[in-house]
Amino acid sequence: MRAGYALDGEGGCIADARHHADALLEKAHADHDLPVSARARDLTQLVVSELVTNALKYAPGPVLMELRISAHAVDVVVWDSDPTVPVARAADPDRIGQHGLEIVKAVTEWLFTEQEPVGKRITARIALCDTSEPNSAA
């Protein structure tokens, strides 16, 4: 399954992005009987929030989000117009803010950034089913 969304940066678009992600995970579970753990739902919401927030904060123009669901994972893909590749900073409990990419990196199976002719694309993969709860579904 795959779905794409254009986000305009207006008030509420981050919440809309989270809603789109949750709705697609629900559809994957209901229509295709894919196991989607509560943990996968929560982590997807977190990753969508962090990646979309960063794109809106640091890049001029529109933000595109694509969600790709396979049998075992959901990929959250966010494109923005800033070609600068972000770097997760080292953990620092005294630092205020700028922990988003650090958090995304810690909770995903993998995180990949591609520079494009215009901007960049960040892809984060989240397992649909936690290994500690193999048969869980929402």
Side-chain angles (χ1 to χ4, degrees):
M1 294 180 65
R2 165 182 296 215
Y5 310 92
L7 306 170
D8 59 10
E10 296 299 317
C13 85
I14 296 167
D16 289 344
R18 286 191 308 264
H19 173 75
H20 291 310
D22 194 52
L24 194 63
L25 288 171
E26 177 58 33
K27 183 174 178 61
H29 174 66
D31 294 356
H32 300 284
D33 201 30
L34 291 176
V36 180
S37 70
R39 183 175 191 271
R41 284 181 183 272
D42 291 345
L43 291 180
T44 301
Q45 298 288 313
L46 174 64
V47 169
V48 164
S49 289
E50 292 297 339
L51 293 182
V52 171
T53 297
N54 285 350
L56 292 170
K57 184 174 181 180
Y58 296 110
V63 172
L64 304 176
M65 179 179 78
E66 182 179 20
L67 302 168
R68 303 176 197 150
I69 300 178
S70 66
H72 303 289
V74 57
D75 288 350
V76 177
V77 184
V78 175
W79 173 89
D80 67 53
S81 61
D82 183 358
T84 305
V85 174
V87 177
R89 297 175 68 182
D92 180 357
D94 295 326
R95 184 176 69 239
I96 297 173
Q98 296 187 341
H99 293 279
L101 202 55
E102 175 187 338
I103 292 166
V104 169
K105 190 174 179 183
V107 302
T108 57
E109 287 186 341
W110 58 264
L111 182 66
F112 183 71
T113 302
E114 305 170 81
Q115 282 186 309
E116 301 212 338
V118 175
K120 67 181 166 299
R121 182 176 313 272
I122 300 176
T123 304
R125 176 164 290 168
I126 302 148
L128 287 180
C129 192
D130 187 38
T131 56
S132 66
E133 44 181 326
N135 295 318
S136 33

